């Protein structure tokens, strides 16, 4: 397990124990705890605790800087619309995999739909599409299928 996984697991466990789904931590304390640079904490925040994953992260830098993570509870339709609107023009395969995994985990998509959509946007299914166009085709497919799920 890598350092990012350890940090993310610690934060997730702390968030699960926190009242009202809000966790406030000191960036420097976390960096010292995991013997890493503060930018590693920033990386974990941006990749593991994004709005697409159901979190709002507020940050204040400086000596008394903190990170506040809030778990957002939204209904299925709102979550799907947020993901559709945040997809953009291009989605790489690892991002598509993470987004779909989060949607299945949150209950916004059934496991069968998530698996089918992942197969549809995978590199095997997009084999006839030139590599430089796959991420934009992947985004278009994901948006259209997710719109049907709303």
């Amino acid at each position: 397990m890598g350092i990012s996984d350890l940090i993310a697991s610690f934060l997730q466990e702390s968030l699960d124990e926190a009242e009202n789904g809000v966790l406030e931590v000191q960036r420097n304390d976390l960096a010292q705890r995991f013997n890493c640079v503060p930018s590693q904490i920033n990386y974990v925040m941006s990749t593991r605790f994004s709005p697409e994953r159901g979190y709002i992260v507020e940050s204040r830098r400086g000596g008394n800087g903190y990170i506040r993570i809030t778990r957002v509870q939204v209904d299925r339709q709102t979550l799907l619309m947020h993901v559709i609107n945040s997809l953009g023009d291009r989605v790489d395969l690892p991002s598509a995999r993470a987004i779909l995994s989060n949607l299945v985990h949150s209950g916004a998509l059934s496991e069968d739909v998530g698996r089918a959509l992942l197969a549809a946007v995978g590199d095997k299914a997009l084999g006839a599409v030139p590599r430089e166009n796959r991420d934009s085709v992947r985004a278009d497919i994901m948006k259209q299928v997710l719109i049907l799920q709303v």
Side-chain angles (χ1 to χ4, degrees), residues 10 22-23 25 35 37 43 65 67 98 100 103 120-122 125 133 137 139:
F10 172 79
V22 178
L23 174 67
V25 294
N35 196 28
V37 294
Y43 171 78
I67 299 169
L100 293 172
L103 288 173
V121 300
N133 297 337
V137 171

Side-chain angles (χ1 to χ4, degrees), residues 86-106:
S86 68
L87 278 174
D89 295 335
R90 304 176 61 79
V91 177
D92 62 18
L93 186 55
S95 296
R97 187 177 290 119
I99 290 166
L100 293 172
S101 173
N102 291 328
L103 288 173
V104 168
H105 181 71
S106 71

Side-chain angles (χ1 to χ4, degrees), residues 7-81:
I7 295 167
S9 293
F10 172 79
L11 290 171
Q12 187 62 56
E13 288 172 15
S14 298
L15 193 55
D16 289 345
E17 295 171 4
E19 290 184 32
N20 302 324
V22 178
L23 174 67
E24 197 169 293
V25 294
Q26 299 286 322
R27 186 186 336 267
N28 288 337
D29 291 348
L30 277 177
Q32 286 178 348
R33 178 184 186 101
F34 290 98
N35 196 28
C36 67
V37 294
S39 62
Q40 183 75 39
I41 305 301
N42 294 343
Y43 171 78
V44 172
M45 292 296 123
S46 64
T47 59
R48 310 287 177 91
F49 295 92
S50 63
E52 294 80 27
R53 294 178 180 242
Y55 301 95
I56 294 174
V57 176
E58 300 170 76
S59 177
R60 193 178 92 191
R61 298 185 188 272
N64 291 327
Y66 63 86
I67 299 169
R68 181 180 299 129
I69 306 169
T70 306
R71 183 178 295 138
V72 181
Q73 298 295 329
V74 296
D75 62 77
R76 178 182 180 276
Q77 184 174 355
T78 302
L79 177 58
L80 287 171
M81 288 307 299

